[in-house]
Amino acid sequence: MDAFAKVQPYLVERPRPLIGAETVQLIVMREILDYTVLRTEETRELNVVHTPLSAKNSSEPVRRVAFLATKQKAAESRELEHLLRTARRAVGLPEQECYLKDNLCMRCPRCGLFGGTSVVPGQEERANIKHRIEYSTAFSLMPFEDIATRLTFNAINDRNLTTGQALGDRHAVLPATLFPSVVTLKSVTQRELILTIKTLLACKSYGAESRIGGDVRNSIWGMVAGWEEVITSLELTLELFDEMENLSPAKVLEIIAQKYVPLAGNPDKVVVLTLEEVDALVTACASTELDRPFIEEAYKDIEKYRSEQLAR
């Protein structure tokens, strides 16, 4: 059976500037595998937000570490950039210069999926590309007090091998912390779905100071398709906190099907893939070879997109 059959009605034949309602949501469990610094402010403290404790206990506030959407998107956008660059080289295609943040080519699958604004001198007036992959902030499954730590670091004097005074400290998330996350794709092609899943599975480094930490394992726990976004990362986190004793991909799919599909604006257009269907689709994507025909067609899709967009 075709692993893509169930989501095919929610994919498009080729990307177009005017997008439709076709939506595919990937339910991603992000597991921290090394001390990870999730901060954006000069205070060097972790990004923290107050949320309800859980879906069933919404009156009790709790602090959670926020894995900001921008931190997820930046790492995965660059991962796709690296993947495309290496794949082109591997199949004998000339390298195409495209990199964040000041030299987006606006004609590669990364720009076509993540969007882009031309900042090349003389081309500022050119039309931008709207993103068709959407992120939302993910929240730690457990409260801040259970998963945050403060690390002190220092340096050894090579002459006498003493450590002396500490150089500083950093706030980090402990290994084994879970961040339930939802990545939403709007009007994407099958090739773009494949590239997205390959990117999610391959991307490992997140957060500030990722040179000395920040390892993360992304696992696809579920998939839901429809004419709209069915569930958000915060809803997913609050629901799973109530299921700590029964945490599994099967439970995620059960929650979505029983509670969130009935809340949709178009419930008859929503499909929740079974666990077996999710596994088959993820395996099919991961095993798809990025050969020359695949890469060439992926780039041609964006060339046509831009031709259509700039002709308006």
Side-chain angles (χ1 to χ4, degrees):
M1 180 180 174
D2 181 4
F4 295 90
K6 205 162 181 178
V7 296
Q8 206 65 54
Y10 306 94
L11 302 175
V12 296
E13 186 178 348
R14 66 182 182 85
R16 291 185 170 85
L18 293 178
I19 66 173
E22 299 91 345
T23 303
V24 177
Q25 290 194 291
L26 305 175
I27 311 302
V28 183
M29 186 60 77
R30 303 184 186 276
E31 182 179 6
I32 305 297
L33 299 179
D34 196 356
Y35 294 96
T36 301
V37 180
L38 298 175
R39 67 158 191 262
T40 53
E41 304 301 330
E42 291 294 330
T43 59
R44 300 180 65 86
E45 295 179 351
L46 295 171
N47 296 118
V48 175
V49 65
H50 285 87
T51 73
L53 177 64
S54 71
K56 292 179 181 175
N57 187 353
S58 59
S59 60
E60 181 179 346
V62 66
R63 285 196 303 169
R64 282 188 161 92
V65 175
F67 194 163
L68 298 181
T70 51
K71 290 226 170 272
Q72 303 166 49
K73 178 185 175 183
E76 286 158 19
S77 175
R78 285 186 168 88
E79 184 69 32
L80 180 54
E81 171 198 325
H82 302 160
L83 181 64
L84 291 169
R85 187 177 299 141
T86 301
R88 284 183 68 88
R89 196 182 304 138
V91 299
L93 290 170
E95 195 164 306
Q96 190 162 318
E97 278 212 358
C98 177
Y99 53 86
L100 291 168
K101 61 180 177 42
D102 296 330
N103 197 62
L104 295 178
C105 69
M106 310 289 280
R107 58 181 189 276
C108 72
R110 194 276 296 274
C111 290
L113 186 60
F114 282 86
T117 301
S118 177
V119 294
V120 177
Q123 296 184 10
E124 295 89 345
E125 76 286 357
R126 302 194 73 177
N128 299 325
I129 299 179
K130 180 177 172 57
H131 64 266
R132 286 175 294 118
I133 182 168
E134 297 180 0
Y135 289 83
S136 59
T137 296
F139 305 91
S140 60
L141 187 56
M142 300 301 292
F144 170 85
E145 290 74 14
D146 295 336
I147 54 95
T149 188
R150 178 178 172 180
L151 301 173
T152 300
F153 57 89
N154 49 35
I156 294 177
N157 185 318
D158 285 339
R159 188 171 188 179
N160 56 25
L161 298 184
T162 59
T163 55
Q165 187 175 5
L167 296 177
D169 55 35
R170 62 186 181 124
H171 298 264
V173 175
L174 289 170
T177 298
L178 297 177
F179 285 86
S181 175
V182 178
V183 177
T184 301
L185 300 169
K186 304 284 257 186
S187 294
V188 300
T189 65
Q190 180 170 313
R191 275 187 286 272
E192 289 172 326
L193 176 61
I194 291 170
L195 288 172
T196 299
I197 290 181
K198 280 181 173 292
T199 299
L200 283 167
L201 297 178
C203 196
K204 299 291 189 300
S205 297
Y206 293 84
E209 302 181 21
S210 57
R211 69 191 185 283
I212 52 172
D215 288 343
V216 175
R217 170 74 66 185
N218 296 321
S219 303
I220 312 294
W221 274 31
M223 205 171 300
V224 54
W227 283 9
E228 61 196 284
E229 296 180 39
V230 176
I231 189 168
T232 68
S233 296
L234 179 58
E235 291 169 329
L236 181 62
T237 300
L238 301 186
E239 294 287 352
L240 292 184
F241 190 85
D242 286 323
E243 303 292 341
M244 291 295 291
E245 302 300 321
N246 189 24
L247 205 59
S248 68
K251 177 54 69 175
V252 169
L253 298 177
E254 179 186 320
I255 291 170
I256 294 173
Q258 293 184 0
K259 183 170 180 179
Y260 288 89
V261 173
L263 297 177
N266 304 282
D268 60 323
K269 300 298 182 185
V270 177
V271 295
V272 182
L273 274 64
T274 66
L275 199 54
E276 293 74 20
E277 291 168 338
V278 172
D279 289 342
L281 198 151
V282 171
T283 300
C285 290
S287 60
T288 298
E289 185 181 356
L290 297 184
D291 54 16
R292 186 159 182 150
F294 184 102
I295 294 296
E296 287 182 330
E297 289 303 315
Y299 276 79
K300 284 179 184 175
D301 283 346
I302 305 306
E303 287 176 12
K304 292 176 184 173
Y305 174 107
R306 288 296 277 173
S307 297
E308 185 178 331
Q309 184 187 34
L310 297 175
R312 292 174 183 273

